[in-house]
Amino acid sequence: MKKRFMFFIMLLPCLFAAAQEQEVLQHFASWNEVLAKARQSNKLIFIDVYFTGCHPCAVMDKEVFTNKLIKEKLEAHFIGVKTDILKEPLGDSILRKYQTMGFPTFLVLSKEGALIDATNGFADVGVLMAFLNNADSLDKHKTYLNGFAPNLDVPYAPAYLDYFGKERKRVDDTIANRWIIENRKLYKEAADMLFMITRNPASGLKEDFINNYNAYRALYGQALVLGKATAILSANLKEKVTGRNDQLFSGFLKTYQNKFPAADWKIIRFLLADHYYNTIVKDADAFLSFAAANPVLYKNYYGAMVSNLTNKQQLSPEKLLLLGKWGADAIDEHTAFETILTIARVYQQQNKPEVYKNYVQLAIDKARKYEVDTKAYEAMLTN
Protein backbone atom coordinates (compact mmCIF):
# COMPACT_ATOMS: atom_id res chain seq x y z
CA MET A 1 0.00 0.00 0.00
CA LYS A 2 2.81 2.34 0.98
CA LYS A 3 4.67 1.62 -2.27
CA ARG A 4 1.58 2.34 -4.31
CA PHE A 5 1.06 5.59 -2.42
CA MET A 6 4.66 6.65 -3.08
CA PHE A 7 4.29 5.77 -6.75
CA PHE A 8 1.19 7.98 -6.94
CA ILE A 9 3.03 10.89 -5.32
CA MET A 10 5.92 10.50 -7.77
CA LEU A 11 3.44 10.37 -10.65
CA LEU A 12 1.72 13.65 -9.73
CA PRO A 13 4.32 15.96 -11.31
CA CYS A 14 4.07 14.01 -14.55
CA LEU A 15 0.30 14.23 -14.55
CA PHE A 16 0.48 17.95 -13.80
CA ALA A 17 2.97 18.50 -16.63
CA ALA A 18 0.76 16.56 -19.05
CA ALA A 19 -2.25 18.65 -18.04
CA GLN A 20 -0.24 21.82 -18.61
CA GLU A 21 0.81 20.66 -22.08
CA GLN A 22 -2.82 20.10 -23.01
CA GLU A 23 -3.70 23.74 -22.34
CA VAL A 24 -3.71 25.41 -25.72
CA LEU A 25 -3.62 28.92 -24.19
CA GLN A 26 -0.97 29.87 -21.66
CA HIS A 27 -0.38 32.82 -19.33
CA PHE A 28 2.86 34.71 -19.86
CA ALA A 29 4.66 37.02 -17.48
CA SER A 30 5.76 39.57 -20.07
CA TRP A 31 5.46 40.67 -23.68
CA ASN A 32 9.13 39.87 -24.28
CA GLU A 33 8.48 36.31 -23.15
CA VAL A 34 5.64 35.98 -25.65
CA LEU A 35 7.78 37.32 -28.51
CA ALA A 36 10.71 35.09 -27.58
CA LYS A 37 8.47 32.00 -27.63
CA ALA A 38 6.93 32.99 -30.98
CA ARG A 39 10.29 33.59 -32.62
CA GLN A 40 11.71 30.38 -31.23
CA SER A 41 8.71 28.39 -32.49
CA ASN A 42 8.33 30.38 -35.74
CA LYS A 43 4.60 30.70 -35.07
CA LEU A 44 2.01 33.47 -35.01
CA ILE A 45 0.72 34.79 -31.70
CA PHE A 46 -2.92 34.33 -30.75
CA ILE A 47 -4.13 36.26 -27.69
CA ASP A 48 -7.38 35.71 -25.82
CA VAL A 49 -8.04 38.88 -23.81
CA TYR A 50 -10.62 38.33 -21.07
CA PHE A 51 -11.50 39.07 -17.46
CA THR A 52 -12.63 36.79 -14.67
CA GLY A 53 -16.42 36.90 -14.44
CA CYS A 54 -16.97 37.48 -18.16
CA HIS A 55 -19.66 34.95 -19.14
CA PRO A 56 -18.94 34.69 -22.89
CA CYS A 57 -15.24 34.36 -22.04
CA ALA A 58 -16.05 31.37 -19.80
CA VAL A 59 -18.19 29.79 -22.54
CA MET A 60 -15.28 30.17 -24.96
CA ASP A 61 -13.10 28.22 -22.52
CA LYS A 62 -15.69 25.50 -22.07
CA GLU A 63 -17.05 25.05 -25.58
CA VAL A 64 -14.66 26.53 -28.14
CA PHE A 65 -11.05 26.26 -26.99
CA THR A 66 -11.69 22.62 -26.07
CA ASN A 67 -12.79 21.82 -29.62
CA LYS A 68 -10.44 19.34 -31.29
CA LEU A 69 -10.07 21.28 -34.56
CA ILE A 70 -9.50 24.60 -32.81
CA LYS A 71 -6.89 23.06 -30.54
CA GLU A 72 -5.11 21.47 -33.48
CA LYS A 73 -5.14 24.75 -35.42
CA LEU A 74 -3.80 26.77 -32.51
CA GLU A 75 -1.15 24.21 -31.55
CA ALA A 76 0.10 23.90 -35.14
CA HIS A 77 0.25 27.56 -36.12
CA PHE A 78 0.08 29.77 -33.03
CA ILE A 79 1.57 30.53 -29.66
CA GLY A 80 -1.61 30.64 -27.59
CA VAL A 81 -1.75 33.43 -25.00
CA LYS A 82 -4.46 34.04 -22.42
CA THR A 83 -4.42 37.20 -20.32
CA ASP A 84 -6.79 38.73 -17.75
CA ILE A 85 -7.03 42.52 -18.06
CA LEU A 86 -7.92 42.92 -14.38
CA LYS A 87 -5.34 40.62 -12.81
CA GLU A 88 -2.29 40.57 -15.08
CA PRO A 89 0.06 43.44 -16.01
CA LEU A 90 0.33 41.99 -19.52
CA GLY A 91 -3.45 42.06 -19.91
CA ASP A 92 -3.59 45.64 -18.68
CA SER A 93 -0.90 46.67 -21.20
CA ILE A 94 -2.69 44.94 -24.07
CA LEU A 95 -5.98 46.59 -23.11
CA ARG A 96 -4.31 50.00 -23.28
CA LYS A 97 -2.34 49.24 -26.45
CA TYR A 98 -5.14 47.82 -28.61
CA GLN A 99 -8.21 49.28 -26.86
CA THR A 100 -9.76 45.87 -26.25
CA MET A 101 -13.08 47.26 -24.98
CA GLY A 102 -15.29 44.26 -25.81
CA PHE A 103 -14.76 40.85 -24.26
CA PRO A 104 -13.52 38.44 -25.11
CA THR A 105 -11.16 40.09 -27.60
CA PHE A 106 -8.96 38.01 -29.90
CA LEU A 107 -5.74 39.30 -31.41
CA VAL A 108 -3.39 37.67 -33.89
CA LEU A 109 0.14 39.01 -34.30
CA SER A 110 3.22 38.05 -36.25
CA LYS A 111 6.16 36.46 -34.44
CA GLU A 112 7.75 39.93 -34.51
CA GLY A 113 4.77 41.49 -32.75
CA ALA A 114 3.02 43.15 -35.71
CA LEU A 115 -0.77 43.10 -35.33
CA ILE A 116 -2.46 41.11 -38.10
CA ASP A 117 -6.13 41.11 -37.09
CA ALA A 118 -8.45 41.64 -34.13
CA THR A 119 -12.06 40.91 -33.28
CA ASN A 120 -14.23 40.85 -30.18
CA GLY A 121 -17.28 39.11 -28.79
CA PHE A 122 -18.17 35.44 -28.44
CA ALA A 123 -17.01 33.38 -31.43
CA ASP A 124 -18.27 29.84 -31.94
CA VAL A 125 -16.00 27.20 -33.42
CA GLY A 126 -16.76 28.07 -37.03
CA VAL A 127 -16.43 31.82 -36.53
CA LEU A 128 -13.15 31.49 -34.64
CA MET A 129 -11.75 29.07 -37.23
CA ALA A 130 -12.57 31.53 -40.01
CA PHE A 131 -10.82 34.29 -38.05
CA LEU A 132 -7.71 32.15 -37.54
CA ASN A 133 -7.59 31.06 -41.19
CA ASN A 134 -7.97 34.64 -42.38
CA ALA A 135 -5.17 35.81 -40.07
CA ASP A 136 -2.99 32.99 -41.35
CA SER A 137 -3.64 34.11 -44.93
CA LEU A 138 -2.92 37.77 -44.11
CA ASP A 139 0.40 36.76 -42.58
CA LYS A 140 1.38 34.79 -45.68
CA HIS A 141 0.79 37.96 -47.73
CA LYS A 142 2.64 40.08 -45.14
CA THR A 143 -0.47 42.18 -44.60
CA TYR A 144 -0.09 43.76 -41.18
CA LEU A 145 -1.75 46.62 -39.26
CA ASN A 146 1.40 48.69 -39.13
CA GLY A 147 -0.16 51.61 -37.31
CA PHE A 148 0.66 49.72 -34.13
CA ALA A 149 4.31 49.50 -33.12
CA PRO A 150 5.34 45.94 -32.18
CA ASN A 151 6.27 47.03 -28.66
CA LEU A 152 3.81 47.79 -25.86
CA ASP A 153 5.74 50.79 -24.57
CA VAL A 154 4.30 53.82 -26.42
CA PRO A 155 4.62 57.53 -25.43
CA TYR A 156 0.92 58.02 -24.74
CA ALA A 157 -0.66 61.29 -23.66
CA PRO A 158 -1.24 61.70 -19.89
CA ALA A 159 -5.00 61.84 -20.55
CA TYR A 160 -4.80 58.48 -22.33
CA LEU A 161 -2.91 56.87 -19.46
CA ASP A 162 -5.43 58.28 -16.99
CA TYR A 163 -8.29 56.84 -19.04
CA PHE A 164 -6.80 53.37 -18.79
CA GLY A 165 -5.55 53.84 -15.25
CA LYS A 166 -7.10 52.36 -12.13
CA GLU A 167 -9.56 55.24 -11.74
CA ARG A 168 -10.54 55.20 -15.45
CA LYS A 169 -10.73 59.00 -15.68
CA ARG A 170 -12.84 60.40 -18.50
CA VAL A 171 -10.96 62.23 -21.23
CA ASP A 172 -11.32 66.00 -21.39
CA ASP A 173 -12.13 66.72 -25.04
CA THR A 174 -10.36 70.06 -25.12
CA ILE A 175 -7.15 68.70 -23.62
CA ALA A 176 -7.27 65.62 -25.87
CA ASN A 177 -7.84 67.60 -29.08
CA ARG A 178 -4.97 69.95 -28.27
CA TRP A 179 -2.58 67.06 -27.54
CA ILE A 180 -3.55 65.23 -30.73
CA ILE A 181 -3.04 68.27 -32.94
CA GLU A 182 0.28 69.19 -31.32
CA ASN A 183 1.78 65.68 -31.20
CA ARG A 184 0.33 63.83 -34.17
CA LYS A 185 3.36 64.11 -36.46
CA LEU A 186 5.77 62.98 -33.76
CA TYR A 187 3.64 60.34 -32.01
CA LYS A 188 1.09 59.17 -34.56
CA GLU A 189 0.03 55.94 -32.86
CA ALA A 190 -0.36 57.66 -29.49
CA ALA A 191 -2.33 60.54 -31.06
CA ASP A 192 -4.60 58.23 -33.06
CA MET A 193 -5.34 56.06 -30.04
CA LEU A 194 -6.26 59.16 -28.01
CA PHE A 195 -8.50 60.24 -30.89
CA MET A 196 -10.30 56.89 -30.76
CA ILE A 197 -11.40 57.42 -27.14
CA THR A 198 -12.14 61.15 -27.40
CA ARG A 199 -15.90 61.56 -27.24
CA ASN A 200 -16.05 64.80 -29.24
CA PRO A 201 -12.97 65.17 -31.45
CA ALA A 202 -12.30 68.50 -33.13
CA SER A 203 -14.23 68.88 -36.40
CA GLY A 204 -11.04 68.87 -38.45
CA LEU A 205 -9.91 65.63 -36.86
CA LYS A 206 -13.28 64.01 -37.54
CA GLU A 207 -13.27 65.11 -41.16
CA ASP A 208 -9.75 63.83 -41.65
CA PHE A 209 -10.70 60.47 -40.16
CA ILE A 210 -13.81 60.00 -42.32
CA ASN A 211 -12.12 61.24 -45.50
CA ASN A 212 -9.12 58.96 -44.92
CA TYR A 213 -11.00 56.00 -43.45
CA ASN A 214 -9.30 53.46 -45.73
CA ALA A 215 -5.86 54.62 -44.61
CA TYR A 216 -6.84 54.39 -40.93
CA ARG A 217 -8.35 50.96 -41.50
CA ALA A 218 -5.10 49.76 -43.07
CA LEU A 219 -3.20 51.06 -40.04
CA TYR A 220 -5.43 49.87 -37.20
CA GLY A 221 -7.99 47.38 -38.55
CA GLN A 222 -11.74 47.23 -39.00
CA ALA A 223 -12.54 46.22 -35.42
CA LEU A 224 -11.27 49.54 -34.07
CA VAL A 225 -11.99 52.11 -36.78
CA LEU A 226 -15.47 50.98 -37.84
CA GLY A 227 -16.89 51.71 -34.40
CA LYS A 228 -15.31 55.17 -34.35
CA ALA A 229 -16.63 56.00 -37.81
CA THR A 230 -20.12 54.93 -36.77
CA ALA A 231 -19.94 57.06 -33.61
CA ILE A 232 -18.87 60.13 -35.60
CA LEU A 233 -21.55 59.69 -38.25
CA SER A 234 -24.23 58.97 -35.64
CA ALA A 235 -23.39 62.28 -33.94
CA ASN A 236 -23.53 64.06 -37.31
CA LEU A 237 -26.88 62.40 -38.06
CA LYS A 238 -28.30 63.52 -34.73
CA GLU A 239 -27.37 67.13 -35.54
CA LYS A 240 -28.82 67.07 -39.04
CA VAL A 241 -31.95 64.97 -38.52
CA THR A 242 -33.97 65.80 -35.43
CA GLY A 243 -37.22 64.09 -36.38
CA ARG A 244 -38.81 61.79 -38.95
CA ASN A 245 -37.45 62.69 -42.36
CA ASP A 246 -36.68 59.57 -44.38
CA GLN A 247 -35.64 61.57 -47.43
CA LEU A 248 -33.10 63.55 -45.42
CA PHE A 249 -31.79 60.34 -43.86
CA SER A 250 -31.43 58.72 -47.29
CA GLY A 251 -29.52 61.79 -48.49
CA PHE A 252 -27.28 61.61 -45.42
CA LEU A 253 -26.37 58.02 -46.27
CA LYS A 254 -25.58 58.90 -49.89
CA THR A 255 -23.21 61.63 -48.71
CA TYR A 256 -20.95 59.10 -47.01
CA GLN A 257 -21.39 55.79 -48.82
CA ASN A 258 -18.41 56.22 -51.16
CA LYS A 259 -15.97 56.98 -48.35
CA PHE A 260 -15.89 53.40 -47.05
CA PRO A 261 -15.14 49.91 -48.40
CA ALA A 262 -18.38 48.21 -49.46
CA ALA A 263 -18.20 45.56 -46.71
CA ASP A 264 -17.65 48.17 -43.99
CA TRP A 265 -20.30 50.49 -45.39
CA LYS A 266 -22.96 47.78 -45.19
CA ILE A 267 -22.34 47.52 -41.45
CA ILE A 268 -22.03 51.27 -40.85
CA ARG A 269 -25.21 51.94 -42.84
CA PHE A 270 -27.01 49.27 -40.83
CA LEU A 271 -25.88 50.78 -37.51
CA LEU A 272 -26.84 54.29 -38.66
CA ALA A 273 -30.28 52.98 -39.60
CA ASP A 274 -30.60 51.46 -36.15
CA HIS A 275 -29.74 54.85 -34.63
CA TYR A 276 -32.16 56.72 -36.90
CA TYR A 277 -35.17 54.41 -36.76
CA ASN A 278 -34.87 53.10 -33.20
CA THR A 279 -33.45 56.15 -31.39
CA ILE A 280 -34.50 59.24 -33.34
CA VAL A 281 -37.73 58.08 -34.97
CA LYS A 282 -38.60 55.26 -32.55
CA ASP A 283 -40.18 53.11 -35.26
CA ALA A 284 -39.10 49.47 -34.91
CA ASP A 285 -41.19 48.38 -37.91
CA ALA A 286 -39.44 50.89 -40.16
CA PHE A 287 -36.07 49.64 -38.97
CA LEU A 288 -37.01 46.02 -39.65
CA SER A 289 -38.12 47.03 -43.15
CA PHE A 290 -34.76 48.70 -43.68
CA ALA A 291 -32.89 45.66 -42.34
CA ALA A 292 -34.89 43.31 -44.55
CA ALA A 293 -34.06 45.45 -47.59
CA ASN A 294 -30.39 45.88 -46.56
CA PRO A 295 -29.64 42.65 -44.66
CA VAL A 296 -26.58 42.43 -42.41
CA LEU A 297 -25.83 39.97 -39.63
CA TYR A 298 -23.45 41.93 -37.41
CA LYS A 299 -22.22 40.47 -34.12
CA ASN A 300 -25.29 39.17 -32.25
CA TYR A 301 -27.51 42.09 -33.21
CA TYR A 302 -30.09 39.88 -34.93
CA GLY A 303 -30.49 37.60 -31.94
CA ALA A 304 -30.70 40.56 -29.57
CA MET A 305 -33.42 42.15 -31.70
CA VAL A 306 -35.50 38.94 -31.77
CA SER A 307 -35.02 38.46 -28.02
CA ASN A 308 -36.01 42.06 -27.28
CA LEU A 309 -39.18 41.87 -29.37
CA THR A 310 -40.05 38.51 -27.81
CA ASN A 311 -39.63 39.82 -24.26
CA LYS A 312 -41.82 42.81 -25.08
CA GLN A 313 -44.39 40.49 -26.71
CA GLN A 314 -44.12 42.51 -29.92
CA LEU A 315 -43.41 39.70 -32.39
CA SER A 316 -46.36 40.33 -34.70
CA PRO A 317 -46.79 38.33 -37.93
CA GLU A 318 -45.55 41.38 -39.88
CA LYS A 319 -42.39 41.62 -37.79
CA LEU A 320 -41.76 37.90 -38.12
CA LEU A 321 -41.95 38.16 -41.91
CA LEU A 322 -39.42 41.01 -41.93
CA LEU A 323 -37.14 39.19 -39.49
CA GLY A 324 -37.32 36.09 -41.64
CA LYS A 325 -36.37 37.96 -44.80
CA TRP A 326 -33.58 39.83 -43.00
CA GLY A 327 -32.05 36.62 -41.67
CA ALA A 328 -32.55 34.50 -44.78
CA ASP A 329 -30.95 37.06 -47.11
CA ALA A 330 -27.94 37.73 -44.85
CA ILE A 331 -27.00 34.25 -43.72
CA ASP A 332 -23.85 32.62 -45.13
CA GLU A 333 -21.38 29.84 -44.32
CA HIS A 334 -19.75 31.97 -41.60
CA THR A 335 -22.97 32.66 -39.67
CA ALA A 336 -22.78 31.69 -36.00
CA PHE A 337 -24.71 28.67 -34.72
CA GLU A 338 -26.87 30.77 -32.42
CA THR A 339 -27.90 33.12 -35.22
CA ILE A 340 -28.75 30.20 -37.53
CA LEU A 341 -30.98 28.72 -34.82
CA THR A 342 -32.58 32.11 -34.14
CA ILE A 343 -33.51 32.39 -37.82
CA ALA A 344 -34.88 28.85 -37.62
CA ARG A 345 -37.10 29.79 -34.66
CA VAL A 346 -38.39 32.86 -36.50
CA TYR A 347 -39.65 30.59 -39.28
CA GLN A 348 -41.01 28.15 -36.74
CA GLN A 349 -43.12 30.96 -35.31
CA GLN A 350 -44.29 31.74 -38.84
CA ASN A 351 -45.59 28.15 -38.89
CA LYS A 352 -43.17 27.13 -41.65
CA PRO A 353 -41.86 23.80 -40.30
CA GLU A 354 -39.93 22.82 -43.44
CA VAL A 355 -37.98 26.07 -43.51
CA TYR A 356 -37.37 25.72 -39.76
CA LYS A 357 -35.97 22.21 -40.27
CA ASN A 358 -33.77 23.38 -43.15
CA TYR A 359 -32.04 25.91 -40.91
CA VAL A 360 -31.67 23.44 -38.06
CA GLN A 361 -30.14 21.00 -40.56
CA LEU A 362 -27.76 23.77 -41.64
CA ALA A 363 -26.62 24.08 -38.02
CA ILE A 364 -26.19 20.30 -37.81
CA ASP A 365 -24.11 20.22 -40.99
CA LYS A 366 -21.92 23.03 -39.72
CA ALA A 367 -21.53 21.28 -36.35
CA ARG A 368 -20.40 18.07 -38.05
CA LYS A 369 -17.90 20.01 -40.15
CA TYR A 370 -16.28 21.38 -37.01
CA GLU A 371 -16.75 18.23 -34.91
CA VAL A 372 -19.23 19.84 -32.53
CA ASP A 373 -21.78 17.70 -30.68
CA THR A 374 -25.03 17.67 -32.72
CA LYS A 375 -27.37 16.04 -30.18
CA ALA A 376 -29.08 19.25 -29.09
CA TYR A 377 -29.66 20.31 -32.70
CA GLU A 378 -30.90 16.91 -33.77
CA ALA A 379 -33.39 16.96 -30.90
CA MET A 380 -34.84 20.16 -32.38
CA LEU A 381 -35.86 18.24 -35.49
CA THR A 382 -38.01 15.84 -33.50
CA ASN A 383 -39.60 18.30 -31.06
Side-chain angles (χ1 to χ4, degrees):
M1 179 70 179
K2 184 176 181 180
K3 288 182 179 181
R4 277 187 289 179
F5 179 75
M6 290 302 297
F7 174 78
F8 178 73
I9 293 297
M10 293 171 66
L11 186 63
L12 278 178
C14 300
L15 293 174
F16 179 75
Q20 287 291 91
E21 289 174 359
Q22 290 173 7
E23 292 295 330
V24 71
L25 302 179
Q26 299 288 326
H27 293 267
F28 287 79
S30 70
W31 185 237
N32 287 336
E33 186 183 346
V34 173
L35 291 178
K37 184 72 176 292
R39 290 165 183 162
Q40 179 186 10
S41 304
N42 194 31
K43 293 180 178 180
L44 299 180
I45 301 165
F46 172 83
I47 307 177
D48 170 26
V49 188
Y50 76 105
F51 65 90
T52 303
C54 162
H55 177 69
C57 303
V59 178
M60 290 292 304
D61 289 340
K62 182 180 179 181
E63 298 181 1
V64 181
F65 292 125
T66 55
N67 175 267
K68 178 186 174 184
L69 299 183
I70 291 293
K71 289 181 71 173
E72 289 176 350
K73 178 71 175 180
L74 288 172
E75 288 170 351
H77 297 277
F78 299 86
I79 297 300
V81 181
K82 191 173 187 66
T83 187
D84 189 323
I85 62 162
L86 300 179
K87 296 182 177 180
E88 299 175 61
L90 178 59
D92 184 57
S93 296
I94 288 174
L95 168 67
R96 181 172 58 248
K97 170 82 173 178
Y98 300 110
Q99 295 191 19
T100 56
M101 307 289 198
F103 300 95
T105 286
F106 308 112
L107 308 169
V108 174
L109 303 97
S110 74
K111 64 182 179 180
E112 303 299 333
L115 184 64
I116 298 173
D117 203 1
T119 189
N120 59 49
F122 177 82
D124 68 24
V125 173
V127 173
L128 183 61
M129 185 64 80
F131 173 73
L132 295 175
N133 287 336
N134 182 62
D136 216 354
S137 175
L138 290 171
D139 178 63
K140 285 181 173 60
H141 291 89
K142 304 301 180 186
T143 303
Y144 304 135
L145 301 173
N146 290 320
F148 292 105
N151 56 294
L152 298 183
D153 192 13
V154 175
Y156 296 115
Y160 190 83
L161 294 174
D162 288 342
Y163 181 84
F164 287 101
K166 290 183 179 180
E167 297 181 6
R168 295 290 193 262
K169 293 183 180 179
R170 296 180 68 176
V171 173
D172 183 295
D173 293 339
T174 302
I175 294 174
N177 286 323
R178 185 186 306 121
W179 196 94
I180 294 167
I181 293 168
E182 291 176 355
N183 294 276
R184 198 173 212 178
K185 289 184 179 179
L186 188 60
Y187 306 120
K188 181 167 177 56
E189 179 185 350
D192 288 344
M193 289 305 100
L194 180 56
F195 168 80
M196 294 295 175
I197 62 169
T198 301
R199 287 166 296 158
N200 187 26
S203 58
L205 296 176
K206 290 189 289 188
E207 290 173 9
D208 172 77
F209 179 77
I210 296 299
N211 290 332
N212 296 284
Y213 177 86
N214 288 334
Y216 280 97
R217 191 187 193 281
L219 288 173
Y220 304 114
Q222 185 202 59
L224 187 59
V225 301
L226 187 146
K228 188 63 178 179
T230 303
I232 290 172
L233 295 187
S234 293
N236 290 353
L237 177 64
K238 188 176 180 180
E239 290 179 1
K240 296 180 183 300
V241 184
T242 57
R244 182 68 180 258
N245 190 326
D246 292 356
Q247 185 175 359
L248 190 59
F249 174 60
S250 179
F252 180 88
L253 294 180
K254 289 179 181 178
T255 300
Y256 292 102
Q257 65 183 8
N258 294 324
K259 296 183 181 294
F260 303 92
D264 289 22
W265 176 244
K266 286 179 66 176
I267 298 170
I268 293 170
R269 178 182 61 188
F270 172 82
L271 296 174
L272 289 173
D274 172 42
H275 182 70
Y276 172 66
Y277 288 112
N278 288 325
T279 302
I280 297 175
V281 177
K282 300 187 186 307
D283 188 340
D285 287 344
F287 172 71
L288 289 178
S289 294
F290 184 94
N294 305 278
V296 175
L297 293 177
Y298 181 63
K299 303 294 184 181
N300 189 38
Y301 195 101
Y302 184 88
M305 172 65 74
V306 173
S307 177
N308 183 49
L309 291 173
T310 301
N311 292 337
K312 292 181 178 180
Q313 298 183 332
Q314 294 177 352
L315 268 181
S316 64
E318 293 76 17
K319 284 186 173 67
L320 284 169
L321 285 172
L322 292 171
L323 285 166
K325 186 176 188 311
W326 171 8
D329 289 347
I331 195 171
D332 62 24
E333 68 274 15
H334 302 303
T335 302
F337 286 115
E338 189 56 39
T339 302
I340 295 172
L341 296 178
T342 301
I343 297 171
R345 294 186 188 100
V346 165
Y347 278 100
Q348 184 182 41
Q349 292 184 70
Q350 291 184 42
N351 197 26
K352 296 180 178 179
E354 291 307 313
V355 181
Y356 164 76
K357 290 180 179 179
N358 286 341
Y359 281 113
V360 174
Q361 186 61 53
L362 181 63
I364 292 172
D365 294 341
K366 180 180 176 180
R368 287 173 178 161
K369 176 181 178 180
Y370 293 107
E371 299 189 19
V372 173
D373 190 352
T374 62
K375 291 179 183 177
Y377 305 147
E378 289 170 348
M380 294 174 67
L381 293 178
T382 58
N383 290 341

